[in-house]
Amino acid sequence: MYVFNTASRQTDAVGALHHLPATPNTVHWGYFDASIKPALRVRSGDLIRAEAVTHHAGDDPDLLMDDGIREIFTKIPEEDRNPGVHIMTGPIFVEGARPGDMLEVRYLAMRPRLPYGSNLAANWGYLYKEFDERERVTIYRFDDATQQAEAVYAYDYPGKYLTPGKMFRCPECDRQSALPGARVPCRPHLGTAGVAPAVNGRVSTIPPGAHGGNIDNWRIGANARMYYPVAVDGALFSIGDPHISQGDGELSGTAIEASLDVLFQVIVRKDFQFPSPLLETPGEWIVHGFDEDLDLAMRGASLDMLGFLTEQRGLSRNDAYSLMSVAADFAVTQVVDGRQGVHVRMPRSVFPPER
Amino acid sequence: MYVFNTASRQTDAVGALHHLPATPNTVHWGYFDASIKPALRVRSGDLIRAEAVTHHAGDDPDLLMDDGIREIFTKIPEEDRNPGVHIMTGPIFVEGARPGDMLEVRYLAMRPRLPYGSNLAANWGYLYKEFDERERVTIYRFDDATQQAEAVYAYDYPGKYLTPGKMFRCPECDRQSALPGARVPCRPHLGTAGVAPAVNGRVSTIPPGAHGGNIDNWRIGANARMYYPVAVDGALFSIGDPHISQGDGELSGTAIEASLDVLFQVIVRKDFQFPSPLLETPGEWIVHGFDEDLDLAMRGASLDMLGFLTEQRGLSRNDAYSLMSVAADFAVTQVVDGRQGVHVRMPRSVFPPER
């Protein structure tokens, strides 16, 4: 009855392990581009240990940078960081991946590279006007033992935060205490990851879409599997925009932005298709809708979940609609001006055990 | 530092236990009204065991009605069920409650009265047009042992579902199988509950608001505490619209609508004020935004959480904004035409232990 189940998976075999460090030669800043020379070539089933570097490391270069990160910020000129903002590691060419396939990415582990991250109340944040159009940085420290973060200090950002990767050292005297006693539960995840769209030239990393991109769902962490529709030969998969935590909505415009080391496996799937990035966690199936308008993002997510339940799980349209009303949870993934995201989560326990 | 914590609670003392059955004399159908004679008078701290009856019991009168429910449907004339649709049990007059106070309602237990419920894909549902403007009922059975529900059968609703509490017995030959093998995790809760608004005459139960009403957050179940701003003397609290489950979004326009027996305690709180219904669960603080527009509902929820964190938890505005971005989850509570709901959940573990 069910088209999409674990038994139909082509392979659980693990291939070779590759290491992909983030260097000026293995990152592309602000864009996906199908014409970039691959930073790595792998086979379906291979494991990749890769570095994802935050483009917010300049918010406190002393705490958020090491030599490897600093080299990226100093060697890649500002004029080559566009049209988006995220530092993307890759692309990874996966042999055998063809347009029409799905690229399954099994995220296995995500660890902070340095124990610090930055949250920016940004000019693109949801309450920017309510905060008198001021921007502010709050630096957080990650505690590995508790998997919690606490604020270290905050400062008002001088000027407007427009150039990706600008470095600014806030003088000690301008640092303010922040969130005394508060501890944020950590959810290390990738804010942006995806395959190259079939487009000539650069595609901004900022708007999410069928290729993945800047989805900002904190559930894209260890133990999650993402399925991206492949658009070009080799898929050309890249990762970036690492976060140690954010809430659904990412209200201020950013998460706790912090570099992560990521271990994942890539698998080429030729046995099913899906029109948008599909997320599988141990407990849920999740689909995403994106639009400039929140209501239209909601509509997109609801129609894609309807498609998932009918095409991949064999339900009738009527059954799928009832099930979505009584069992699926809709949430606001992000609310940045011009790009709204809604996702919907269906518990896996609804369905009989997969054979 | 924190204004709002358990230590400041005036009392955990438990008063008398009252029983409030739902009868034609103790329910009001479709409205809140500050001029209704109370069905019960209690003191702060008292427990109430009350019956909440679903207005969808007519979708299968054999499975969803017993004698007590049938009496409500037969004795209350259709022309007295307006301007909303929900059967509300109450109101309960709480001695000492005054405008400006908060009514804390501790929901202690919610149990299905009968093991059946109805989900309607309604004319006010989100995908009504995508389903060719057809309405459909799916009857679910509740399994107490597993706390799951499974579909029993479904039928296309004849005509348009407009009159609250219409009884319809679908002939056996028109019943269709539904959702074979699927099991819905149950979340018994009240879709509608609240205090009487300070308004002359009837107020529809349909739009949620400061008084509570039709919030449709499935977290308003056992172990949750709601805080409602009191608007009239005695608060005049009523409950209705019981559900055994729904998802965030309540996509088809209804949940699994099923009568519940509810045990709760009411406590008059004079030590704090909050402008909208505030929800406390064992793990989270939750505030709600409502509007005709989803984006404005989102804005309302974000501003009320900002208010909660600054006024009730003592955070600065800047700190609260950063914390919301990195730790609070925004979700779509309901998406019915003309009334959109968004809520935001802040984990309690963020704050130091309450003293």
Side-chain angles (χ1 to χ4, degrees), chain A residues 119 126-127 130 140 179 182-183 187 218 247-248 252 254 295 299 317 319 321-322 325 328-330 332 350, chain B residues 119 126-127 130 140 179 182-183 187 218 247-248 252 254 295 299 317 319 321-322 325 328-330 332 350:
Chain A
N119 169 249
Y126 192 69
L127 299 180
E130 283 82 354
Y140 287 82
L179 284 163
R183 297 184 73 85
R187 306 159 158 177
W218 57 260
D248 283 334
S252 83
T254 66
D295 185 65
R299 195 159 291 273
R317 271 170 59 87
D319 281 357
Y321 189 28
S322 180
S325 195
D329 288 324
F330 285 82
V332 178
V350 161
Chain B
N119 169 250
Y126 191 68
L127 299 180
E130 283 82 353
Y140 286 82
L179 285 164
R183 297 185 73 84
R187 306 159 159 177
W218 58 259
D248 283 333
S252 82
T254 66
D295 185 66
R299 194 158 292 273
R317 270 171 59 87
D319 281 357
Y321 189 27
S322 180
S325 195
D329 289 323
F330 285 83
V332 177
V350 160

Side-chain angles (χ1 to χ4, degrees), chain A residues 98-119:
Chain A
R98 299 272 178 275
D101 298 343
M102 301 295 290
L103 185 68
E104 174 178 344
V105 180
R106 299 185 180 183
Y107 293 108
L108 301 170
M110 298 202 187
R111 281 186 60 83
R113 172 172 175 157
L114 297 166
Y116 293 96
S118 170
N119 169 249

Side-chain angles (χ1 to χ4, degrees), chain A residues 55-56 59 85-86 118-128 131 135-136 161 191-192 206 214-216 241 243 245-257 333-337 339, chain B residues 298 321-326 330:
Chain A
H55 54 297
H56 282 271
D59 296 352
V85 298
H86 309 98
S118 170
N119 169 249
L120 173 68
N123 60 71
W124 59 91
Y126 192 69
L127 299 180
Y128 181 55
F131 279 78
E135 292 178 279
R136 186 176 172 91
Y161 204 104
T192 305
I206 293 179
N214 185 28
I215 297 175
D216 281 329
D241 192 21
H243 299 161
S245 214
Q246 75 160 71
D248 283 334
E250 203 188 21
L251 201 73
S252 83
T254 66
I256 300 178
E257 314 274 334
T333 324
Q334 62 177 334
V335 286
V336 174
D337 247 7
R339 54 180 167 111
Chain B
M298 168 83 203
Y321 189 27
S322 180
L323 187 63
M324 288 165 75
S325 195
V326 304
F330 285 83

Side-chain angles (χ1 to χ4, degrees), chain A residues 57-69:
Chain A
D59 296 352
D60 184 329
D62 298 326
L63 297 180
L64 295 170
M65 288 189 181
D66 55 22
D67 288 346
I69 296 171

